[in-house]
Amino acid sequence: MPSKLSKGSDLSLPVYPALPQQRFVRRLSSAALPSVGRLNHVAIAVPSLEEAAQKYRDVLGVKVSAPQSLPEHGVRVVFVELPNTKLELLEPLGSSSPIAGFLQKNSAGGIHHICLEVDDIHASMRHVGERVRLLDKQPKIGAHGLPVVFAHPKDLCGVLTELEEVKR
């Protein structure tokens, strides 16, 4: 058991020699931080787009956009307009859709991803891609007709995160 310290005792900690640069440390560029703006939307996977859109319209009295098919993403979507953001309701287009896999695990649906706005998708991809895994090497065009890219959920606190370029 440690002895009691008397007034004026030496409380210094041992000094360790500097460690050499470790091989597994990734060198990060000095690229500027991405300019992240507002929350663009929260995406919710649903088994039936029509039923979900009707429920949001009838229960909450909100405006719901017309359905839009996005074959390159494997989904059909509608947007629920809210005063400060949007909800994106996603329905799979076929069994190979990533949303179909999500619904196999969560049959009632649920929150699939969040979308954050950025000023420059390529600069954001360079910065973010050095720190976490991106799901694509190049941006795709999203539901708003703007470039998007997704960051792996295991690298961002369990949340699939979409970055969308929006000119402000």
Side-chain angles (χ1 to χ4, degrees):
M1 189 157 157
S3 62
K4 290 185 179 182
L5 297 174
S6 61
K7 192 173 186 173
S9 295
D10 182 16
L11 296 176
S12 62
L13 298 173
V15 177
Y16 296 100
L19 297 174
Q21 182 77 23
Q22 296 178 0
R23 288 183 297 147
F24 62 86
V25 174
R26 188 168 27 165
R27 295 203 184 265
L28 302 176
S29 74
S30 59
L33 292 173
S35 177
V36 176
R38 65 190 273 280
L39 172 68
N40 184 280
H41 65 265
V42 174
I44 302 170
V46 298
S48 169
L49 196 59
E50 288 76 21
E51 288 177 22
Q54 181 181 359
K55 189 170 285 190
Y56 276 90
R57 214 177 4 258
D58 295 350
V59 173
L60 299 176
V62 295
K63 181 182 173 188
V64 178
S65 73
Q68 179 183 2
S69 291
L70 300 171
E72 63 278 8
H73 293 280
V75 296
R76 270 184 6 129
V77 304
V78 298
F79 285 95
V80 176
E81 300 291 332
L82 301 172
N84 60 342
T85 193
K86 296 179 283 292
L87 300 178
E88 179 184 42
L89 305 181
L90 305 163
E91 175 186 72
L93 271 180
S95 60
S96 63
S97 166
I99 300 304
F102 181 90
L103 290 171
Q104 285 177 352
K105 297 175 192 157
N106 308 281
S107 61
I111 294 176
H112 183 260
H113 69 268
I114 64 167
C115 176
L116 303 174
E117 295 178 354
V118 296
D119 287 335
D120 181 333
I121 195 74
H122 293 287
S124 295
M125 287 178 72
R126 279 190 301 276
H127 179 82
V128 174
E130 289 180 340
R131 291 155 176 82
V132 301
R133 290 172 286 174
L134 297 176
L135 299 186
D136 293 300
K137 292 183 188 293
Q138 293 298 319
K140 294 181 179 179
I141 299 302
H144 298 116
L146 300 168
V148 301
V149 68
F150 288 86
H152 200 290
K154 288 185 178 178
D155 296 342
L156 279 176
C157 306
V159 178
L160 179 61
T161 302
E162 178 182 17
L163 302 177
E164 179 178 62
E165 182 176 277
V166 175
K167 298 298 182 197
R168 291 175 256 224

